[in-house]
Amino acid sequence: MGVLVLKFGGTSVATVPAIENVANKVAAEIKNGHKIAVVVSAMAGVTNQLVSYCSEINQIFNPQEYDTVVAAGEQITSGLLALALQKRGIGARSWLGWQVPIVTNDVHGKARIRSIDSPALKTSVMKGDVAVIAGFQGVTPEGRLTTLGRGGSDTSAVAVAAALRADRCDIYTDVQGVYTADPRIVNRARKLNKISYEEMLEMASVGAKVLQTRSVELAMKEKVPLQVLSSFEEALGSDLPGTLVVDEGDIVEQEVVSGVTHSRDEAKVTLRSLPDVPGVAARVFGPLADASINVDMIVQNLSPDSKKTDLTFTVPRADLPRTLEVLKAISKDLPGTQIESSADVAKISIIGIGMRSYVGVAQKMFKTLAEKGINIQVITTSEIKVSVLISEEYTELAVRSLHTAYGLDHES
Ligand code: ASP
Ligand code: MG
């Protein structure tokens, strides 16, 4: 029987009874004959609390010490789950990031995993002991603690699954899987049984916050089959009750559009009457990149007289004040340019690998929105995604109408 990696998120280990429930799931998978490594998050809310302790001391904190503080939540849950397993007579031990070791680069607060080369971990798991690994944590080659960015335990789990050549990585959370749309908005949203890595990546990056984006990138690269499932249901991972994230080739019946997502995390900026000369876009986006502001949708209009043009783009809403500051500084060198901005926008996206082989998919989106009288402000497309920016007040209406238009509503 093969190796399974089970990852439990913050709500799944939020209390001692929840941890006991997790131990029961692990015990049942062992009974099924699997060898198990578990990756745990901190108890729900703990990481936020630790982050706020840091900013209470100083708004601008030293990233090395920040990591030392925020990595602590996962240490507690890994020890507690090991205790709960031992109580059931199951051989188990906790592994902190540095003990594995999960070696990362030194970008503190957002470190990237370089390698997991751990003969000790492999031997322990193969012997039948459960390895309870603290997610989120890493260590630099110099021996300093790092963390993998918020939501990073997902990435820890996939990396461990790749290192152990696991048959599957089950991500236990508080939802039953990946949905065709946010069920809080669309009550006819359906749980998807399977989705491709590419689609999941697009969904993760446009606001479906089930998995950390990096974990999906890594799973795709290392070909680790993932499953997203609920830890609050009876069914075990081996019953495959959740959503499988797999290679496109493993999906037999491909829908044209698999999901409709929305994000209210963006703001729109327009620069009016920019000089239409070579190098202007570079002069605008260079300083924004230097300020680590991630620009997303971009449109530049044609200028009728080839002298002036308008440039519209979106940035994360939280970065809007900083963006305007940067733009004000550069606009001194761009006489006549006006800066406009709006945070009352939402980005609505349709996603599906079926789009590659069908025509008229985007057109249906535009027509559906037009019929509801919703104005489209910006459009961008990729091979498997079409996104539009609309006024935020129409978010729900847009998502619901598109969900129906693409035949995603469940029957009853
Ligand atoms: N505890 C960390 C966080 O809240 C990592 C994780 O849960 O994935 O971001
Ligand atoms: Mg998470």
Side-chain angles (χ1 to χ4, degrees), residues 120 161 216:
V216 186

Side-chain angles (χ1 to χ4, degrees), residues 33-108:
H34 297 290
K35 306 225 184 292
I36 308 284
V38 184
V39 174
V40 286
S41 288
M43 292 165 134
V46 167
T47 310
N48 286 344
Q49 178 69 65
L50 297 172
V51 171
S52 70
Y53 286 149
C54 291
S55 32
E56 222 180 284
I57 291 187
N58 201 337
Q59 271 305 322
I60 298 165
F61 31 70
N62 171 285
Q64 282 88 358
E65 303 310 341
Y66 166 86
D67 275 348
T68 303
V69 175
V70 302
E74 274 72 8
Q75 173 162 345
I76 297 170
T77 38
S78 63
L80 288 174
L81 179 57
L83 288 174
L85 290 167
Q86 288 165 5
K87 183 171 86 177
R88 287 162 176 74
I90 296 167
R93 68 155 277 196
S94 60
W95 295 78
L96 300 181
W98 64 270
Q99 291 171 321
V100 173
I102 296 176
V103 180
T104 71
N105 64 14
D106 63 0
V107 183
H108 287 272

Side-chain angles (χ1 to χ4, degrees), residues 88-329:
R88 287 162 176 74
I90 296 167
R93 68 155 277 196
S94 60
W95 295 78
L96 300 181
W98 64 270
Q99 291 171 321
V100 173
I102 296 176
V103 180
T104 71
N105 64 14
D106 63 0
V107 183
H108 287 272
K110 230 185 200 175
R112 272 182 183 267
I113 298 177
R114 280 199 181 148
S115 63
I116 303 182
D117 181 15
S118 181
L121 178 72
K122 272 188 200 149
T123 309
S124 176
V125 171
M126 288 312 166
K127 205 178 88 199
D129 280 345
V130 178
V132 187
I133 301 162
F136 191 44
Q137 305 182 344
V139 63
T140 67
E142 291 74 38
R144 295 232 48 179
L145 286 192
T146 54
T147 59
L148 306 180
R150 298 307 305 269
S153 300
D154 296 335
T155 304
S156 309
V158 173
V160 166
L164 293 175
R165 299 191 193 291
D167 290 344
R168 201 178 58 245
C169 180
D170 282 341
I171 309 273
Y172 282 91
T173 173
D174 49 10
V175 293
Q176 291 176 13
V178 180
Y179 282 77
T180 49
D182 186 338
R184 285 168 301 185
I185 289 187
V186 182
N187 55 19
R188 305 195 121 201
R190 280 187 287 124
K191 192 207 78 187
L192 292 157
N193 292 328
K194 277 190 183 177
I195 185 172
S196 68
Y197 293 120
E198 286 93 337
E199 289 167 313
M200 192 62 230
L201 264 182
E202 294 284 10
M203 295 223 187
S205 67
V206 293
K209 294 180 179 111
V210 240
L211 293 173
Q212 196 194 36
T213 306
R214 269 188 199 170
S215 70
V216 186
E217 284 166 1
L218 189 62
M220 178 155 116
K221 181 164 153 263
E222 300 285 342
K223 300 199 186 312
V224 175
L226 288 181
Q227 178 178 209
V228 178
L229 72 165
S230 166
S231 65
F232 302 102
E233 303 284 317
E234 278 294 306
L236 273 186
S238 296
D239 307 329
L240 303 182
T243 299
L244 283 170
V245 189
V246 293
D247 221 62
E248 177 178 330
D250 297 331
I251 302 177
V252 188
E253 273 180 53
Q254 189 58 58
E255 316 227 26
V256 179
V257 167
S258 313
V260 182
T261 61
H262 67 279
S263 157
R264 303 180 208 254
D265 296 336
E266 308 212 8
K268 181 180 76 163
V269 178
T270 300
L271 296 176
R272 292 220 184 274
S273 303
L274 272 176
D276 192 13
V277 292
V280 168
R283 260 154 79 191
V284 172
F285 294 123
L288 290 175
D290 293 341
S292 295
I293 294 168
N294 207 346
V295 175
D296 179 25
M297 308 172 99
I298 304 176
V299 277
Q300 183 181 325
N301 297 339
L302 285 177
S303 53
D305 53 1
S306 300
K307 287 191 183 110
K308 298 280 183 191
T309 184
D310 295 345
L311 181 64
T312 297
F313 54 90
T314 62
V315 295
R317 208 178 272 185
D319 289 337
L320 182 60
R322 281 202 307 131
T323 302
L324 295 177
E325 236 167 70
V326 171
L327 292 177
K328 251 178 230 144

